[in-house]
Amino acid sequence: MVDMGFFSGDSNIKSMNVTFRIPYYTHWGQSLLVCGSEPLLGSWNVKKGLLLSPWNLGNELIWRGSIEVPSEFGCEYSYYVVDDKRNVLRWEMGKKRKLLLPDVVPDGEAIELRDLWQTGSDTLPFRSAFKDVIFCSSWNMDIERPLGLLQNKLVQGDSVLVHFRICCPSMEEDTSVYVIGSSVILGNWKVQDGLKLNYAGESIWQADCLVLKADFPLRYKYSKYGKAGNFALEVGPNREISMDTLIGQPRYIFMSDGMSREMPWRGAGMAIPMFSIRSEDDLGVGEFLDLKLLVDWAVASGLHLVQLLPINDTSVHGMWWDSYPYSSLSVFALHPLYLRVQALSKKIPEEIKQQIMNEKERLNLKDVDYEATMAAKFSIAKKIFTLEKDQTLESSSFQKFLSENQEWLKPYAAFCFLRDFFETSDHSQWGRFSCFSDDKLEKLVSKDSVHYNVICFHYYIQYHLHLQLSEAAEYARQKGVVLKGDLPIGVDRNSVDTWVYPSLFRMNTSTGAPPDYFDKNGQNWGFPTYNWEEMSKDNYAWWRARLTQMSKYFTAYRIDHVLGFFRIWELPDHAKTGLLGKFRPSIPLSQEELESEGIWDFDRLSRPYIRQEHLQEKFGSIWTVVASIFLNEYQKQSYEFLEDSNTEKKAASKLKDCLAKSLLLGSEEDTLRRGLFDLLQNIVLIRDPEDPRKFYPRFNLEDTSSFQDLDDQSKTVLKRLYYDYYFHRQEDLWRQNALKTLPALLNSSDMLACGEDLGLIPSCVHPVMQELGLIGLRIQRMPSEPGVEFGIPSQYGYMTVCAPSCHDCSTMRAWWEEDEERRRRFFKDVVGSNKLPPSLCVPSIAHFIIRQHVEAPSMWAIFPLQDLLALKEEYTTRPASEETINDPTNPKHYWRYRVHVTLETLVKDQELTGTIKDLVRGSGRSYPLLGKEKVDHEYQNKGEYQKKHIPAVKTIPQGIPHKEVVAAV
């Protein structure tokens, strides 16, 4: 009990006893406390919060704690799990709770707040994808009774005032929420006699009633009841209010019952890169305004979501390499590639209009010509800018845009100018501008500078990109379609962000992924890794700003490689492949630990192990030539790399020089490079470059001849340490790391977050994602369960997105056709047929696979557009292999796929949209309703409920039926 000495000086101060009560199972050594915004609850200092005490009640562990507060006390609060030193181990997700004590409660009364722990999934209806798009009508209702106001006044001594509160984010028109239960006051399970709740805003419904003490324990449920006669009772067991007989009984009980327990909401969507869209108006590539047509097609197809790849500017090299959408030049700037030049002005001169028409015809190609399209758009945009720059730049709309975005827009424009001036994005080559400063920036963007016109041109392009994407995003919201963006895990090392914020990046490292389904040699993406310690100093402000910017356009987003927020696969900057990396953060193997296990020859284990037989095996008859160029024989038949070729980048560069000088005639560069890399990778331990007494096991070390030539004792020890490093010792560290970084992202916007959790998945990942309310990804051909070849969609969890393919692998059609034996196994094990499967992915096969996914329990089923087009034979004439968007094994892949059919054609194709919509509707998933469908939907609901519950019902003005509706409980 809190010391109330500070009240003793004024006997006129009214006070009351408030008890916090919450059921929660903890582990040994853990406790619960409540912390809030007022000093009585610690002023958000958890160390000073109110520690709760455990109490067993039946099968539940109840935590309780009380404080004395002045009347009309109010504050925000949350619950925390702490250790015995009050270090936070876990906290509730979502918004802070609000405590508003009604002024009608008499002095000295006892009030009990009965709460439920708020999980990450409880916060999902408050995300903008639902709040502002799918359930938006539910959030626009008029408030009937604000929070903190009671309907009843407690007079009788044998009664308890019970206040019910429930969150119902999805409400149909003219529908109310009722509490029905086991007492007369709750209607004895008859909804027409139950307690009707009032809407309090933000999807909260509340009401209070007086309950006789003899009626406890009180069993109840929440239900929805509408004027149309539709009745829906929440699922699950009855809720119950019991009186804690061993503890002083409160006369006021405030039930905060969390979310209404309804059948889980499920929806469907489609995914396509922005550049892959084709329309009759575009100029060689998909454009932001094309999204309006895509939204129309999605609505007609019963799809609630459109997912894109990253749309940030990637103009680093000025060539087709920039087609890689995950290598951002700026994490804030939009890509000029997606600009619709004809929308820049309503007064475009005829000669420019003719140029646009000519370029449209020239660039109407099978695939994107990145360089030609960028050149054409900039050429046209510069001409229009010259004509209208003064009018645009002086407009209030532009000035507002500049004011709101100047923190990133000015550095971006200056970077683009310097990139073009120095003809490189490598800012280390920019002389006195290599190091960023605010003073230098202001001089670069000053109105007095000779190049101010160039700076303004970049402002102008970003301004119009913002207008066009905003228009498309608002259109999607109005149509009930969620626009889902993509948050890349990295930035290009020659980017605006590394120039302006160099301390946030580890520039001597590179980001990638260990060997997995996508590439057995691992992946090296080339991005610098993050300096998380530095980022944490301002509570991850750079990340929070990224998400805030994204939320201007998107209501949901995909976190690329969410595993990187637990740990990242870090490579030295001299690596070209992704094999010789280590996880950061991670607990290394210390030299002392290895020595205690009998491992001591660290040079032998951490340097490339090269024997003469290895050279002969890899290079055949030219092995001596290769050895003379790249290696030194330091002892008989044992070799080491020369200084000028002892890393992958050095070896690759020297090899290219040798081939250019014809020193290795008749040899294939790829074969030689692969052989040299194999030798460099033939190690067992990776020595830490910052601490030579720390080591990391090389991934798949058992595959190396360096390991295979060891004695059996050393092999046994190293195998055990390998599995401990990769699968055990890091779990707590990675969990703690994710719980530091991910909440900063999730709390910085209202967007719905989905995490791409494919690859080598630590056991801590899925529990943390569940705790934070992060939706995972399930691809059927990449099952997360060990020993399974094909995922079973019917067994996926609810908090997932399911899909038959994604942009990082072949399409459903290509996957089906590329491997005959696998196709037969799928046909037998998944389809359940012993017959010979068709060699092509015919529409019936596509229909089966898509139906599997829409019928899955997953919250979302999201299909690449290519997979949906496979439902109609007319759209399968293009070779399936040409529909693949990315090849993760090729770091220089050209991202240029374009859909071979226009959006205008798809919108008119009622057969295809009807097929997709029937699949969605038949699976029970939600779908956007059109005008006539809304009427039919309401009429259908009314008819169905009348048949089930209330035949020949008449209603009184309040919508309560004369005939009784009794809940089956």
Side-chain angles (χ1 to χ4, degrees):
M1 184 73 68
V2 174
D3 180 12
M4 291 303 298
F6 72 95
F7 280 126
S8 59
D10 189 347
S11 59
N12 294 323
I13 295 180
K14 292 172 59 178
S15 67
M16 55 195 69
N17 181 278
V18 174
T19 298
F20 298 89
R21 181 188 190 275
I22 186 170
Y24 191 90
Y25 287 104
T26 55
H27 296 294
W28 181 259
Q30 297 178 347
S31 298
L32 253 69
L33 63 74
V34 61
C35 186
S37 57
E38 292 296 315
L40 281 172
L41 291 177
S43 298
W44 294 124
N45 182 347
V46 175
K47 300 283 188 182
K48 298 180 180 179
L50 174 65
L51 194 65
L52 308 182
S53 301
W55 179 53
N56 286 296
L57 180 64
N59 295 324
E60 290 187 315
L61 182 63
I62 307 295
W63 292 85
R64 300 175 86 257
S66 301
I67 56 171
E68 204 79 19
V69 301
S71 63
E72 301 183 25
F73 177 79
C75 73
E76 293 183 329
Y77 69 98
S78 284
Y79 292 97
Y80 298 82
V81 179
V82 296
D83 61 18
D84 53 7
K85 294 182 179 179
R86 295 202 177 199
N87 296 312
V88 177
L89 304 176
R90 188 173 294 113
W91 58 89
E92 291 188 291
M93 295 299 294
K95 294 182 178 180
K96 305 298 184 185
R97 300 173 184 269
K98 291 182 179 179
L99 171 57
L100 299 172
L101 294 182
D103 55 6
V104 298
V105 179
D107 184 22
E109 284 287 359
I111 297 175
E112 187 168 83
L113 309 177
R114 297 195 177 187
D115 294 323
L116 298 175
W117 183 269
Q118 292 179 168
T119 65
S121 59
D122 290 335
T123 69
L124 297 185
F126 297 92
R127 297 295 181 180
S128 54
F130 293 106
K131 176 170 64 78
D132 299 333
V133 182
I134 297 171
F135 298 153
C136 62
S137 60
S138 301
W139 287 74
N140 294 327
M141 301 171 62
D142 294 331
I143 294 177
E144 298 171 325
R145 181 179 292 271
L147 292 173
L149 296 182
L150 295 180
Q151 298 163 277
N152 296 280
K153 189 172 182 180
L154 189 59
V155 179
Q156 299 169 286
D158 59 346
S159 296
V160 175
L161 187 145
V162 178
H163 181 272
F164 295 93
R165 173 175 167 165
I166 191 71
C167 180
C168 297
S170 175
M171 296 289 294
E172 292 189 3
E173 192 175 353
D174 294 328
T175 301
S176 296
V177 180
Y178 289 78
V179 182
I180 57 175
S182 59
S183 70
V184 172
I185 196 66
L186 297 185
N188 284 323
W189 298 110
K190 298 175 183 177
V191 68
Q192 64 272 11
D193 296 328
L195 176 64
K196 183 180 178 182
L197 275 61
N198 301 301
Y199 185 61
E202 296 189 342
S203 291
I204 300 297
W205 294 76
Q206 64 170 5
D208 56 80
C209 62
L210 302 179
V211 181
L212 295 174
K213 292 182 179 179
D215 287 341
F216 290 96
L218 187 66
R219 296 175 180 85
Y220 66 100
K221 280 187 174 181
Y222 293 94
S223 63
K224 294 180 181 179
Y225 197 75
K227 290 182 180 179
N230 47 314
F231 170 71
L233 188 67
E234 66 175 345
V235 299
N238 295 334
R239 302 177 188 258
E240 183 175 308
I241 307 175
S242 59
M243 298 297 288
D244 302 339
T245 55
L246 299 179
I247 302 174
Q249 297 181 359
R251 296 197 341 124
Y252 291 82
I253 298 177
F254 286 75
M255 302 298 300
S256 183
D257 278 324
M259 302 292 299
S260 175
R261 300 189 307 230
E262 304 176 39
M263 292 300 292
W265 183 95
R266 293 154 61 243
M270 56 80 63
I272 190 71
M274 190 70 248
F275 57 80
S276 297
I277 296 170
R278 186 186 295 270
S279 77
E280 294 174 3
D281 289 329
D282 71 47
L283 199 158
V285 71
E287 297 167 347
F288 287 146
L289 289 176
D290 288 327
L291 290 173
K292 296 169 73 173
L293 267 180
L294 187 61
V295 164
D296 288 340
W297 183 80
V299 171
S301 301
L303 305 176
H304 256 307
L305 181 145
V306 168
Q307 176 174 323
L308 304 175
L309 293 188
I311 55 171
N312 294 112
D313 192 356
T314 58
S315 306
V316 175
H317 306 283
M319 57 179 294
W320 66 263
W321 288 359
D322 296 336
S323 67
Y324 181 27
Y326 288 89
S327 188
S328 306
L329 176 83
S330 166
V331 298
F332 299 100
L334 299 172
H335 206 309
L337 186 68
Y338 306 129
L339 181 72
R340 175 154 296 166
V341 290
Q342 7 346 7
L344 291 176
S345 172
K346 295 179 180 179
K347 301 176 182 178
I348 299 177
E350 286 302 320
E351 63 270 21
I352 298 179
K353 287 183 179 179
Q354 187 59 50
Q355 182 184 357
I356 293 172
M357 294 302 296
N358 294 341
E359 294 292 6
K360 281 177 63 176
E361 184 176 351
R362 182 174 72 91
L363 296 171
N364 187 24
L365 307 170
K366 182 178 74 171
D367 297 308
V368 176
D369 186 331
Y370 183 91
E371 294 169 30
T373 302
M374 284 288 287
K377 292 199 173 192
F378 270 115
S379 172
I380 296 166
K382 285 177 181 177
K383 292 178 180 179
I384 301 174
F385 170 72
T386 302
L387 296 172
E388 300 206 342
K389 62 180 179 181
D390 292 338
Q391 180 183 345
T392 300
L393 299 180
E394 292 171 5
S395 68
S396 59
S397 174
F398 173 81
Q399 289 299 322
K400 182 174 184 288
F401 170 76
L402 179 61
S403 173
E404 292 176 350
N405 296 276
Q406 60 182 327
E407 188 170 342
W408 66 264
L409 184 57
K410 287 183 176 180
Y412 166 77
F415 186 99
C416 291
F417 165 73
L418 292 169
R419 172 200 62 195
D420 298 340
F421 181 83
F422 288 102
E423 298 183 338
T424 178
S425 290
D426 184 355
H427 39 82
S428 68
Q429 306 299 312
W430 289 354
R432 65 189 181 93
F433 294 108
S434 294
C435 294
F436 174 87
S437 73
D438 289 331
D439 289 341
K440 293 175 187 176
L441 174 65
E442 289 306 316
K443 290 177 181 178
L444 283 167
V445 301
S446 168
K447 291 183 179 181
D448 299 327
S449 66
V450 294
H451 49 261
Y452 183 64
N453 200 55
V454 178
I455 296 292
C456 286
F457 176 70
H458 293 295
Y459 292 167
Y460 173 83
I461 294 295
Q462 288 299 312
Y463 169 64
H464 278 284
L465 286 166
H466 165 72
L467 293 180
Q468 293 180 17
L469 182 54
S470 296
E471 180 181 333
E474 181 58 30
Y475 187 82
R477 288 188 185 95
Q478 292 174 358
K479 293 288 185 176
V481 173
V482 172
L483 198 59
K484 181 180 177 184
D486 197 325
L487 182 75
I489 185 62
V491 301
D492 197 283
R493 64 178 59 251
N494 296 318
S495 65
V496 182
D497 301 279
T498 58
W499 180 52
V500 177
Y501 308 107
S503 65
L504 301 184
F505 304 92
R506 291 170 51 82
M507 296 298 289
N508 62 338
T509 66
S510 186
T511 305
D516 58 13
Y517 174 92
F518 297 109
D519 193 336
K520 63 183 180 64
N521 293 311
Q523 298 176 59
N524 185 341
W525 302 322
F527 314 134
T529 56
Y530 294 119
N531 184 348
W532 289 110
E533 293 79 8
E534 187 68 23
M535 287 180 162
S536 68
K537 292 179 181 178
D538 59 6
N539 192 26
Y540 310 98
W542 181 78
W543 284 103
R544 289 186 287 110
R546 287 183 71 179
L547 271 295
T548 300
Q549 184 72 8
M550 279 189 76
S551 67
K552 294 178 180 178
Y553 315 111
F554 298 106
T555 50
Y557 67 106
R558 168 189 178 269
I559 302 176
D560 174 43
H561 194 62
V562 72
L563 304 181
F565 293 90
F566 292 79
R567 81 294 182 273
I568 198 70
W569 187 246
E570 185 176 78
L571 300 148
D573 61 353
H574 56 67
K576 287 186 74 71
T577 69
L579 193 58
L580 296 185
K582 61 182 177 64
F583 285 123
R584 185 177 187 88
S586 66
I587 303 169
L589 306 176
S590 68
Q591 184 168 321
E592 293 76 15
E593 180 182 5
L594 289 163
E595 287 174 342
S596 70
E597 296 278 5
I599 303 298
W600 55 270
D601 193 350
F602 300 109
D603 282 345
R604 156 71 176 83
L605 296 172
S606 62
R607 296 172 61 187
Y609 177 66
I610 308 171
R611 303 282 297 166
Q612 181 175 309
E613 57 266 29
H614 301 152
L615 299 175
Q616 293 170 331
E617 175 188 343
K618 292 188 180 301
F619 303 111
S621 61
I622 64 166
W623 77 268
T624 55
V625 179
V626 173
S628 67
I629 296 173
F630 295 94
L631 303 168
N632 169 54
E633 187 177 13
Y634 66 92
Q635 65 183 43
K636 189 174 182 180
Q637 297 189 350
S638 294
Y639 295 80
E640 63 184 0
F641 275 94
L642 297 171
E643 178 67 26
D644 65 358
S645 52
N646 63 358
T647 70
E648 290 178 348
K649 281 188 177 178
K650 287 181 182 179
S653 177
K654 189 173 183 179
L655 174 61
K656 191 173 287 292
D657 289 342
C658 291
L659 291 171
K661 296 174 183 177
S662 302
L663 299 179
L664 290 164
L665 288 173
S667 302
E668 290 287 338
E669 182 178 0
D670 288 347
T671 303
L672 289 172
R673 184 173 58 247
R674 182 65 263 165
L676 291 169
F677 285 4
D678 284 346
L679 294 177
L680 285 164
Q681 295 164 358
N682 192 25
I683 61 175
V684 175
L685 297 176
I686 298 171
R687 194 187 292 266
D688 192 318
E690 298 172 7
D691 187 342
R693 298 180 65 83
K694 293 179 180 178
F695 299 87
Y696 305 89
R698 181 245 202 228
F699 200 89
N700 289 341
L701 57 78
E702 293 180 57
D703 295 342
T704 67
S705 59
S706 179
F707 176 86
Q708 293 160 6
D709 285 357
L710 293 172
D711 62 89
D712 289 343
Q713 174 63 21
S714 296
K715 287 181 184 178
T716 301
V717 170
L718 287 167
K719 282 167 63 174
R720 174 166 49 80
L721 292 174
Y722 173 90
Y723 283 99
D724 178 60
Y725 174 84
Y726 281 102
F727 303 109
H728 296 293
R729 73 162 67 188
Q730 319 295 347
E731 293 294 329
D732 285 343
L733 173 65
W734 291 344
R735 179 184 182 280
Q736 292 167 14
N737 196 55
L739 289 174
K740 288 178 184 176
T741 56
L742 283 172
L745 270 71
L746 300 178
N747 295 333
S748 60
S749 80
D750 285 338
M751 292 184 291
L752 179 68
C754 306
E756 181 265 290
D757 53 347
L758 304 176
L760 184 69
I761 305 173
S763 59
C764 64
V765 169
H766 289 157
V768 168
M769 291 181 67
Q770 188 78 21
E771 183 174 335
L772 298 180
L774 257 174
I775 303 166
L777 177 61
R778 299 293 177 268
I779 305 294
Q780 188 169 26
R781 70 187 73 171
M782 307 176 211
S784 55
E785 303 83 5
V788 177
E789 185 176 14
F790 310 113
I792 305 173
S794 62
Q795 296 180 5
Y796 294 158
Y798 175 66
M799 290 289 289
T800 58
V801 171
C802 68
S805 70
C806 66
H807 68 271
D808 274 332
C809 59
S810 56
T811 62
M812 177 179 68
R813 197 159 64 93
W815 177 82
W816 179 269
E817 296 171 8
E818 66 194 8
D819 188 326
E820 180 180 357
E821 290 302 316
R822 183 182 61 201
R823 182 168 65 238
R824 289 183 177 182
R825 293 193 299 273
F826 183 91
F827 206 62
K828 179 181 179 181
D829 299 340
V830 180
V831 180
S833 173
N834 289 316
K835 295 181 179 180
L836 192 66
S839 59
L840 299 179
C841 184
V842 296
S844 60
I845 293 296
H847 192 279
F848 173 85
I849 295 174
I850 291 173
R851 193 186 73 196
Q852 265 196 314
H853 286 77
V854 293
E855 292 179 351
S858 303
M859 180 189 297
W860 289 100
I862 301 177
F863 304 93
L865 179 58
Q866 305 97 299
D867 291 353
L868 294 174
L869 294 181
L871 288 166
K872 190 170 182 179
E873 190 171 1
E874 175 185 339
Y875 299 128
T876 62
T877 54
R878 185 174 183 174
S881 59
E882 294 182 2
E883 294 185 327
T884 299
I885 295 168
N886 178 38
D887 176 8
T889 66
N890 178 11
K892 292 299 181 185
H893 176 75
Y894 195 168
W895 298 61
R896 61 187 314 197
Y897 165 72
R898 291 195 79 191
V899 179
H900 57 290
V901 58
T902 66
L903 289 174
E904 288 84 356
T905 300
L906 290 177
V907 169
K908 294 174 184 176
D909 191 338
Q910 295 183 8
E911 180 184 351
L912 178 62
T913 56
T915 298
I916 298 170
K917 191 164 190 174
D918 286 345
L919 281 163
V920 173
R921 188 160 43 190
S923 71
R925 290 185 179 271
S926 173
Y927 55 92
L929 297 176
L930 302 172
K932 183 177 183 302
E933 286 179 312
K934 291 181 180 179
V935 176
D936 292 344
H937 178 72
E938 293 172 5
Y939 181 80
Q940 182 182 16
N941 281 347
K942 179 177 178 180
E944 287 177 357
Y945 283 109
Q946 284 179 340
K947 288 177 185 177
K948 292 180 181 178
H949 300 290
I950 42 175
V953 167
K954 294 181 180 179
T955 60
I956 59 177
Q958 290 79 13
I960 304 298
H962 291 309
K963 193 173 183 69
E964 294 181 348
V965 178
V966 183
V969 293

